[in-house]
Amino acid sequence: MKKQGILNSHISKVLSDLGHTDTIVIADVGLPIPEGVTKIDLALTLGSPSFEETVNAIASDMEIEKIVVAEEMKTNNSEALHYIEDKFEGCDIEACPHEKFKQLTRQAKAVIRTGEAKPYANVILQAGVYFG
């Protein structure tokens, strides 16, 4: 039995299979998930698990070189934006219109759906290379 890191077998498998520049999405309860993209649904109740809790867990197990958020996060969920900026200080953070963000999710290896019920609490994480 695995004793540390991501215990969710679906997430653990996705992270293990990522190659350089592959992406995953951490999404709030409302983000549409494109057909054909693996959906890992963690939502239990509104707010649980939270966006931050989920991002923290994934970031501890994934080498991340780039972040993409929706531009609308700046005006509609500045708390989440500040969290992302602080969490990934020094990492390339790109903002794009929400409609483009949704298009980018079509290339993701998986969308991890949280219970977060705040607007635009979504992020695309691009895998980097970890050489230890």
Side-chain angles (χ1 to χ4, degrees):
M1 179 176 172
K2 189 172 180 187
K3 68 178 189 175
Q4 62 185 356
I6 300 289
L7 298 179
N8 180 292
S9 62
H10 302 290
I11 295 173
S12 187
K13 169 115 176 72
V14 166
L15 294 179
S16 295
D17 289 344
L18 289 177
H20 185 221
T21 73
D22 285 342
T23 62
I24 63 168
V25 178
I26 299 176
D28 60 26
V29 296
L31 187 72
I33 298 169
E35 197 164 317
V37 175
T38 299
K39 174 184 175 182
I40 302 171
D41 196 342
L42 302 180
L44 297 173
T45 59
L46 283 181
S48 179
S50 72
F51 175 70
E52 288 186 22
E53 180 180 17
T54 307
V55 171
N56 286 337
I58 299 298
S60 70
D61 240 12
M62 178 183 174
E63 185 67 25
I64 300 166
E65 71 177 12
K66 182 179 176 183
I67 308 293
V68 180
V69 297
E71 290 172 348
E72 292 85 348
M73 185 186 266
K74 183 176 183 178
T75 54
N76 294 290
N77 194 344
S78 60
E79 180 183 329
L81 180 61
H82 293 307
Y83 160 74
I84 292 293
E85 291 171 339
D86 290 344
K87 177 75 179 172
F88 299 103
E89 185 178 3
C91 191
D92 182 19
I93 301 174
E94 179 183 310
C96 64
H98 188 60
E99 287 306 313
K100 181 177 180 188
F101 183 95
K102 290 190 288 187
Q103 290 174 1
L104 292 172
T105 65
R106 295 178 187 154
Q107 281 79 50
K109 297 295 182 182
V111 175
I112 300 168
R113 181 176 176 253
T114 70
E116 190 63 64
K118 295 177 184 168
Y120 303 101
N122 306 295
V123 65
I124 297 172
L125 305 175
Q126 181 176 301
V129 178
Y130 180 74
F131 290 118

